[in-house]
Amino acid sequence: MIRTFSESEFLFIVASARWTLLLTLLSLLLGGLLGFIVALARTSQLAPLRMLAAGWIGMIQGIPVLMLLFLSYYGLSMGGIDMPPIVAASVSMALYASAYLGEIWRGSIQSVAWQQWEASAALAMSRAQQYRYVVLPQAVRIAVAPTVGFIVQLVKNTSIVSIIGVVELARAGNLVNNATFAPFKVFGTVAATYFIICWPISLLARRLEGRLNARRSG
Amino acid sequence: MPVVQVEGVRKSFGAVEVLKGIDLTVERGEVIAIIGRSGSGKSTLLRCINGLEGIQAGRIEVSGHKLDASGRGLRELRKDVGIVFQSYNLFPHLRVGENIMLAPRVVLGVGRAEARQRAEEALAEVGLGERFDAWPDNLSGGQQQRVAIARSLAMKPKVMLFDEVTSALDPELTGEVLATMERLAEHGMTMLLVTHEMGFARRVATQTIFMHQGKVWEVGPSEQLFGAPQTPELRQFLGTGLK
């Protein structure tokens, strides 16, 4: 039986965006935390830490997100660890995010002038104080634009987890389309919903960047 | 007891030895100028004194803090040694006052009110009392350099190091920075300065050191060193330097 694409189908698609948002949020929080650690390790004075972080970034960036997803969903469940799809999805997206955010933030930290390290060291600051009060506040400004760019990518890339049965935005569209055969309306709605999520993020980034830059010459 | 004591310090960058056994003593209240050609090791020597460069051999002691090849005790030493760089290196994300208050607050654990008072005093000392709330980017090079001096002063150091602090400045801005340093000297600050300003060194420094090829080539009271240079190298250097 073919259903028509009516209000309830429309609402089902739009409501499923909450899983997309939740996934993005979870992978961003977890991946951001891990990515921050990766960035610090990558800029550490200890060579083994730097190498470890570089290895992590290289490895994760060299593996398709899909494989991370399969490994955490099928791989771990075969190893006896049973994970709900949403958890497996969040974990794999977080791993993916950690490598990219780690690399973005490493670049931001390293683009702070080295004289800033020297000046703060000469004032007897510890390495942690240098990060906290001098380097990171400057790195944040540099990091805003590429980080937000990545978040937008992340929102869109969460669609990949539909493969393991998480009914997020893209999967919801698929289900509705299978029942209604109204692909233009269905995927138009899906695309519009993604856009409505992503566009404000980009706008926010532009405002944030403008404000951070304005502060310096107030 | 001398404020700074340097004994037999050697420093190499790779295969190149830039400091070949330096001895130097700075007494309290002394102002010592270090002059010499580029590459003579004078900036490196200054940077070794607060541990920005490690040393391979010898001994450095600043107001009771020993610095050796191990690098231990570095932060304690740095609390007593201020340094001002050629390129100012103010923190661009902080206002002038915050630039100065930061280290006293987080390194020395001074309270906000006292840190503010220190910053205001230091700014007044460099003649910028009214720029507390300015952003570094909105200041001229000379003003930025004076803020950098104030930032070091607020730590109440036992000795101040100046590493070619006027070399990046236009001639018209050089004067205000030199005047600030002269006032510091008059107020009794112990100072060690690497400089190309020969007139300033001669007038303000109690002693001048001429470095050449990684060694202290000639040393003496400034008037004597500039008035009657003993070595041909210094004579040649001053001949070109004073032209």
Side-chain angles (χ1 to χ4, degrees):
Chain A
M1 188 191 94
I2 296 179
R3 294 168 62 172
T4 51
F5 184 74
S6 62
E7 198 187 323
S8 67
E9 279 75 21
F10 174 79
L11 287 177
F12 173 70
I13 290 176
V14 173
S16 63
R18 69 183 186 276
W19 294 108
T20 297
L21 286 174
L22 182 70
L23 254 172
T24 306
L25 206 68
L26 282 178
S27 47
L28 198 60
L29 285 178
L30 213 65
L33 194 71
L34 197 55
F36 185 61
I37 296 169
V38 169
L40 291 185
R42 197 71 183 75
T43 54
S44 161
Q45 285 170 315
L46 304 169
L49 271 184
R50 281 202 305 272
M51 277 160 59
L52 203 69
W56 176 259
I57 292 168
M59 187 181 77
I60 299 290
Q61 290 193 341
I63 299 175
V65 191
L66 192 59
M67 295 306 123
L68 291 175
L69 192 63
F70 285 166
L71 282 170
S72 55
Y73 185 57
Y74 299 117
L76 289 179
S77 65
M78 281 188 74
I81 303 166
D82 204 18
M83 256 201 250
I86 184 76
V87 175
S90 302
V91 168
S92 49
M93 294 303 290
L95 295 182
Y96 155 74
S98 76
Y100 282 87
L101 289 175
E103 187 67 357
I104 289 171
W105 294 342
R106 172 201 62 81
S108 308
I109 289 170
Q110 287 180 343
S111 54
V112 173
W114 62 269
Q115 288 95 338
Q116 295 286 308
W117 287 103
E118 198 166 87
S120 48
L123 288 165
M125 285 188 209
S126 67
R127 184 96 176 152
Q129 289 168 340
Q130 290 179 289
Y131 269 113
R132 165 75 181 78
Y133 298 106
V134 177
V135 175
L136 290 183
Q138 296 183 57
V140 164
R141 282 161 219 274
I142 304 165
V144 168
T147 301
V148 173
F150 176 76
I151 293 173
V152 171
Q153 293 294 319
L154 192 62
V155 171
K156 293 184 283 185
N157 284 347
T158 53
S159 61
I160 205 168
V161 309
S162 59
I163 283 183
I164 58 168
V166 177
V167 185
E168 40 62 74
L169 197 44
R171 175 87 172 144
N174 241 322
L175 293 176
V176 172
N177 185 51
N178 288 345
T180 61
F181 295 108
F184 192 74
K185 285 180 192 160
V186 169
F187 293 114
T189 307
V190 170
T193 311
Y194 274 117
F195 178 76
I196 287 167
I197 296 172
C198 292
W199 196 49
I201 301 177
S202 307
L203 280 186
L204 181 75
R206 226 166 300 160
R207 270 193 50 189
L208 216 57
E209 221 181 338
R211 225 185 56 196
L212 285 173
N213 287 334
R215 247 202 77 194
R216 284 175 61 157
S217 43
Chain B
M1 204 183 88
V3 180
V4 178
Q5 224 172 345
V6 174
E7 278 176 27
V9 163
R10 289 177 176 274
K11 163 80 186 169
S12 305
F13 291 111
V16 185
E17 192 172 39
V18 284
L19 297 181
K20 301 171 181 167
I22 302 285
D23 297 304
L24 170 69
T25 304
V26 187
E27 298 291 342
R28 200 184 159 83
E30 259 192 318
V31 177
I32 296 190
I34 306 174
I35 60 172
R37 285 195 183 80
S38 308
S40 60
K42 54 194 196 303
S43 276
T44 304
L45 171 61
L46 210 63
R47 293 165 56 82
C48 284
I49 291 175
N50 75 342
L52 285 175
E53 304 286 354
I55 57 175
Q56 269 86 46
R59 215 174 61 85
I60 295 174
E61 196 173 328
V62 185
S63 68
H65 307 292
K66 292 185 184 66
L67 194 62
D68 51 30
S70 77
R72 272 193 308 265
L74 197 53
R75 287 188 65 205
E76 287 308 309
L77 177 141
R78 283 174 176 167
K79 288 179 188 172
D80 285 338
V81 185
I83 186 165
V84 182
F85 303 95
Q86 185 178 333
S87 52
Y88 339 132
N89 305 345
L90 295 181
F91 305 134
H93 61 297
L94 299 176
R95 291 173 192 269
V96 163
E98 298 162 334
N99 256 278
I100 303 172
M101 287 162 67
L102 180 61
R105 291 206 67 195
V106 306
V107 175
L108 304 180
V110 160
R112 188 167 181 85
E114 199 204 321
R116 186 171 176 107
Q117 197 192 340
R118 280 191 185 207
E120 282 168 352
E121 282 170 13
L123 271 179
E125 176 81 5
V126 301
L128 288 172
E130 76 289 0
R131 302 315 296 270
F132 194 91
D133 289 317
W135 291 101
D137 283 357
N138 293 349
L139 300 180
S140 72
Q143 290 174 327
Q144 288 192 48
Q145 193 59 295
R146 283 147 69 195
V147 172
I149 294 172
R151 184 172 66 178
S152 279
L153 285 179
M155 293 292 281
K156 302 199 189 295
K158 304 276 192 336
V159 55
M160 287 277 286
L161 312 176
F162 295 87
D163 188 7
E164 297 191 29
V165 294
T166 57
S167 297
L169 295 172
D170 294 335
E172 54 188 321
L173 300 179
T174 301
E176 65 183 59
V177 173
L178 293 181
T180 301
M181 291 164 68
E182 192 164 352
R183 188 159 63 232
L184 280 186
E186 282 163 9
H187 291 180
M189 177 60 74
T190 309
M191 292 163 54
L192 199 53
L193 46 112
V194 167
T195 186
H196 292 294
E197 300 286 337
M198 297 306 152
F200 181 79
R202 185 170 187 167
R203 192 176 74 250
V204 178
T206 46
Q207 285 209 72
T208 295
I209 291 172
F210 172 60
M211 283 189 67
H212 186 65
Q213 293 179 351
K215 290 179 186 149
V216 173
W217 204 259
E218 199 169 329
V219 56
S222 301
E223 200 48 52
Q224 180 189 318
L225 192 114
F226 284 102
Q230 301 298 305
T231 58
E233 289 80 7
L234 178 55
R235 271 198 292 275
Q236 195 194 354
F237 176 73
L238 291 177
T240 52
L242 281 177
K243 180 186 60 174

